[in-house]
Amino acid sequence: MCGIVAYLGSREAYPIIVKGLQRLEYRGYDSAGVALINPKGELNVYKRKGKVSELVAFAKDKDISGHVGIGHTRWATHGEPNDVNSHPHYSQTKDLVIIHNGIIENYNAIKEGLKKRGHTFLSQTDTEVLAHLIEDIQQNENMKLGHAVLAALNQVIGAYAIVVMDKKDPSTLVAAKKGSPLVIGIGAEDFFVASDASPIVEYTKNVVYLEEEQVAIIRLGHELRIRNLKDKEITPYVQKLNIEIESIEKGGYDHFMLKEIYEQPRSVLDSMRGRLHADTGDIKMGGIVDHEKKFEKAKRIIFLACGTSWHAGLVGEYLFEEFARVPVEVEYASEFRYRNPIIYPDDIVIAISQSGETADTLAAIELAKSKGATVLGVCNVVGSSIARATHGGSYTHAGPEIGVASTKAFTAQVTVLTLMALHMAKVRGTLSESRYRALLYEMESIPSKIEVVLKLNDDLRKIAFTYKDSNNALYLGRGVSFPVALEGALKLKEISYIHAEGYPAAEMKHGPIALIDDEMPVFVIATKGANYEKVVSNIQEVKARKGKIIAVVTSGDKDVRAMSDHVIEIPETDEFLVPLIAVIPWQLLSYHIAVMRGCNVDQPRNLAKSVTVE
Ligand code: M6R
């Protein structure tokens, strides 16, 4: 959601900024803009509704020179997506320009005050108000830019990652962060600023992640300086980036989503590596070791998450209840944060998030902490806000996920939750040694079983062709496969725009069955396990109404094959580990259907990769 790129140095800023904005396209946006100070000291601002490519086409014959500049991709919050509301935004004199991710909640009150002082505004955005406020302070208090930004941010309520540039001082950029990530790359003789590391990684591995309420004063030829909002000098903590450029490129695949689906044998393995030791019967998870006693005594687990991560939490519910015999609640973070939830001292709260930046999940964590809860995180992005806000937890080692539709992050989350549940079971003695060890060995085999499913890609493409023109779809599953039905439906609707719903299979007759006719595809997980016979009955109910059945079955199954229109055979596994394998066909089917419908798979309309506003 919104992307920031800025450059200060001796190279041409424009190509670096544009390339960086393209790297951030995955975050979701509806307009793009850039501001550059050319060698004559003139400030040029170009902004366009639409894609970065449209901005590039617009700026083609314009002056794009300059060694300092800021660029932005905007996901509209205040004011519709149009050229005027796009960032960068000017101050009153047009000397300052600002780019901003986040929301200034009290912008209206500030705007009214500034209007009384003669300010006029061009856009409907909260961001423009901040540019005016900074300049107003700069002029009236006779302050340098860094101090004016600091003073302005002390008046602001809300969330921000900002970069400010002043035409009068082209060798300085000022950046600040609260509630929205910002990273500064330190090159040999230049600086890069971005909302994540992907625009920076090809230029430098030395980065500083700004912490909450920090302001960075970036000056050419000087060391990076950081102050907090209380004007206290902070020593920058320079870290080495551990991502490679290949991990954020498509590597020969048509889309990031397809690449990420195919990465799952590796990402599941990486999420277990060094943690799962089937031969010794150990699970070692560094980030939860300090909370072992809590795991032993916990009376309840509460999962907090949104979207696909919430579905992973639902899978976790079945796993923790089955393996560790502990009650579980799975909460939408957006609902939890606005309730007055009851948290007991023996509860463990686990927040799940790929990006680690989801605003609702972050707020829910803060609420849980304020009620005394121990909060653990399951995050994919190292150093993300959620990873830092939690007391401990485990990273999913899925690697950067660029496609907006989450795929490998889901299976990595389920992998980590499975390990946590098994570890908790061991600590509490709730599983027999033989079942525990069998599950550990079975977990080890999951990556190779995912490989087997990926080989079905051609068959899945053919099935996708049959259903690509559907208007509706139903996904069914029972037990631990029910959340996979929800995830399958979410994948299809978010990238192909086909209306799809996921249901526990038995719930179908309580309403959705009314939708079934000879045009309705019903995607069912009917693998062998305790619920198999029940699901077979549900399939018959669909067939009796002429619905089309596309079933994921255990390899060798004959009964479901006989009553289905299409079957997808997946390798046999423990029924509680089925989600890790059974979700793959649903991911591939959604992908192919979306491609066949001509949809933008990696950047579906209206969606953002990290949802940093509530
Ligand atoms: O980064 P998070 O895991 O916290 O994101 C949560 C949801 O926004 C995310 O899973 C979303 O539902 C995806 N588009 C699903 O594909």
Side-chain angles (χ1 to χ4, degrees):
M1 207 168 243
C2 296
I4 281 178
V5 186
Y7 176 77
L8 174 63
S10 53
R11 311 182 215 199
E12 283 300 314
Y14 180 75
I16 292 171
I17 292 170
V18 165
K19 195 170 187 189
L21 292 179
Q22 282 162 339
R23 290 218 187 279
L24 294 177
E25 282 189 305
Y26 77 93
R27 295 168 72 95
Y29 70 105
D30 40 51
S31 57
V34 60
L36 302 151
I37 302 176
N38 72 13
K40 288 188 250 166
E42 294 160 341
L43 176 61
N44 292 309
V45 176
Y46 309 118
K47 318 197 279 187
R48 234 48 208 155
K49 180 184 170 189
K51 295 284 171 196
V52 175
S53 55
E54 288 162 68
L55 170 71
V56 171
F58 175 70
K60 198 161 148 256
D61 305 319
K62 312 229 167 10
D63 178 4
I64 48 167
S65 63
H67 305 297
V68 57
I70 59 179
H72 191 261
T73 46
R74 172 177 187 251
W75 191 88
T77 55
H78 294 66
E80 62 173 288
N82 60 27
D83 298 349
V84 176
N85 287 332
S86 312
H87 301 206
H89 285 284
Y90 285 115
S91 61
Q92 178 71 22
T93 65
K94 294 203 158 88
D95 279 353
L96 296 193
V97 271
I98 188 170
I99 49 178
H100 167 220
N101 293 356
I103 292 180
I104 309 297
E105 288 168 18
N106 59 339
Y107 82 104
N108 236 336
I110 297 172
K111 190 173 186 175
E112 290 311 311
L114 288 167
K115 275 185 183 167
K116 287 187 189 132
R117 296 156 70 86
H119 287 252
T120 51
F121 295 89
L122 305 172
S123 77
Q124 298 158 293
T125 65
D126 50 339
T127 304
E128 187 185 12
V129 175
L130 185 54
H132 282 240
L133 178 65
I134 294 167
E135 183 174 75
D136 193 70
I137 294 171
Q138 196 187 24
Q139 290 177 340
N140 290 307
E141 311 288 331
N142 197 18
M143 280 182 176
K144 285 192 165 176
L145 183 63
H147 276 103
V149 168
L150 208 142
L153 293 178
N154 271 302
Q155 296 185 30
V156 153
I157 300 169
Y160 51 79
I162 57 167
V163 185
V164 189
M165 185 168 79
D166 186 348
K167 185 175 138 181
K168 301 187 293 308
D169 183 4
S171 55
T172 300
L173 290 173
V174 176
K177 174 227 147 80
K178 182 184 175 193
S180 204
L182 206 58
V183 51
I184 300 170
I186 304 172
E189 289 171 351
D190 42 12
F191 293 96
F192 307 80
V193 187
S195 32
D196 68 44
S198 56
I200 296 177
V201 62
E202 67 188 279
Y203 305 107
T204 178
K205 290 268 169 94
N206 296 326
V207 296
V208 173
Y209 286 91
L210 279 192
E211 298 283 340
E212 289 300 275
E213 304 198 334
Q214 288 187 346
V215 178
I217 294 108
I218 306 161
R219 292 173 65 208
L220 206 55
H222 291 77
E223 301 265 293
L224 175 69
R225 290 184 59 200
I226 296 179
R227 310 189 79 81
N228 67 16
L229 283 195
K230 296 194 175 86
D231 203 15
K232 185 170 169 270
E233 185 97 28
I234 312 280
T235 308
Y237 171 53
V238 182
Q239 304 182 37
K240 285 265 178 241
L241 277 180
N242 63 356
I243 54 170
E244 299 302 328
I245 190 77
E246 298 77 49
S247 68
I248 55 166
E249 295 192 325
K250 283 190 201 143
Y253 287 89
D254 287 342
H255 298 95
F256 281 110
M257 183 181 176
L258 189 61
K259 177 182 175 228
E260 287 156 7
I261 291 172
Y262 270 87
E263 281 173 347
Q264 289 175 104
R266 175 67 189 266
S267 51
V268 167
L269 183 65
D270 285 348
S271 300
M272 296 193 287
R273 199 190 298 282
R275 293 170 171 166
L276 175 70
H277 304 273
D279 39 354
T280 57
D282 287 322
I283 292 174
K284 293 183 178 148
M285 303 181 90
I288 58 171
V289 84
D290 293 344
H291 307 281
E292 207 113 289
K293 276 267 160 294
K294 274 237 134 195
F295 267 81
E296 197 183 329
K297 301 259 171 315
K299 296 255 167 29
R300 185 171 63 152
I301 303 275
I302 301 172
F303 287 116
L304 302 175
C306 304
T308 288
S309 299
W310 186 78
H311 296 157
L314 283 180
V315 176
E317 177 177 24
Y318 286 89
L319 301 177
F320 276 80
E321 288 190 357
E322 171 70 13
F323 299 160
R325 306 303 301 143
V326 59
V328 176
E329 282 173 30
V330 189
E331 300 270 4
Y332 282 118
S334 53
E335 287 297 314
F336 182 87
R337 66 180 289 193
Y338 287 115
R339 290 214 316 272
N340 186 8
I342 299 158
I343 308 243
Y344 299 110
D346 288 331
D347 287 343
I348 296 179
V349 174
I350 303 180
I352 310 168
S353 174
Q354 186 286 130
S355 62
E357 301 296 343
T358 302
D360 283 322
T361 310
L362 253 176
I365 290 169
E366 293 308 332
L367 177 66
K369 281 184 358 192
S370 74
K371 290 180 177 284
T374 299
V375 186
L376 304 179
V378 174
C379 289
N380 195 40
V381 178
V382 176
S384 57
S385 303
I386 291 176
R388 281 184 279 122
T390 43
H391 297 114
S394 293
Y395 282 114
T396 50
H397 295 299
E401 191 181 64
I402 310 286
V404 164
S406 198
T407 53
K408 63 175 180 172
F410 174 76
T411 44
Q413 288 165 344
V414 173
T415 301
V416 167
L417 293 177
T418 309
L419 297 188
M420 279 185 170
L422 286 169
H423 181 62
M424 190 171 189
K426 186 173 188 193
V427 170
R428 293 158 75 96
T430 45
L431 276 181
S432 70
E433 180 65 15
S434 58
R435 173 120 165 86
Y436 171 77
R437 289 297 271 266
L439 281 161
L440 261 50
Y441 279 114
E442 195 51 36
M443 274 303 279
E444 278 193 342
S445 74
I446 294 293
S448 60
K449 291 183 176 174
I450 295 175
E451 296 271 14
V452 172
V453 181
L454 290 171
K455 293 207 171 85
L456 303 175
N457 187 39
D458 287 342
D459 298 342
L460 290 161
R461 194 186 290 112
K462 286 182 199 138
I463 300 175
F465 187 77
T466 311
Y467 298 103
K468 70 178 174 25
D469 297 320
S470 302
N471 294 320
N472 295 289
L474 200 56
Y475 284 75
L476 303 177
R478 291 187 86 138
V480 73
S481 291
F482 155 55
V484 184
L486 293 179
E487 177 59 9
L490 179 65
K491 284 293 85 79
L492 186 69
K493 68 186 137 194
E494 63 182 344
I495 60 168
S496 75
Y497 317 138
I498 294 174
H499 171 242
E501 302 211 38
Y503 267 92
E507 273 295 301
M508 184 182 60
K509 57 186 161 301
H510 297 287
I513 201 164
L515 297 169
I516 292 176
D517 60 17
D518 58 1
E519 301 212 325
M520 175 69 114
V522 181
F523 298 89
V524 192
I525 296 177
T527 46
K528 288 281 162 59
N531 294 317
Y532 177 75
E533 302 296 341
K534 305 276 177 207
V535 177
V536 169
S537 304
N538 300 137
I539 290 174
Q540 276 163 342
E541 288 159 11
V542 173
K543 282 319 293 175
R545 286 152 188 91
K546 300 196 168 32
K548 306 285 182 231
I549 288 287
I550 306 98
V552 166
V553 298
T554 308
S555 183
D557 183 292
K558 292 209 170 34
D559 297 343
V560 175
R561 180 176 283 277
M563 60 186 83
S564 301
D565 297 271
H566 309 271
V567 291
I568 302 143
E569 292 195 13
I570 63 170
E572 188 168 6
T573 186
D574 186 284
E575 68 177 296
F576 282 88
L577 306 185
V578 161
L580 286 165
I581 308 177
V583 74
I584 313 288
W586 290 173
Q587 295 170 346
L588 281 167
L589 271 174
S590 303
Y591 169 77
H592 289 304
I593 289 175
V595 171
M596 287 170 194
R597 289 166 71 95
C599 299
N600 186 341
V601 173
D602 284 335
Q603 294 156 37
R605 70 184 179 207
N606 305 338
L607 290 180
K609 184 64 185 166
S610 54
V611 183
T612 51
V613 297
E614 68 169 283

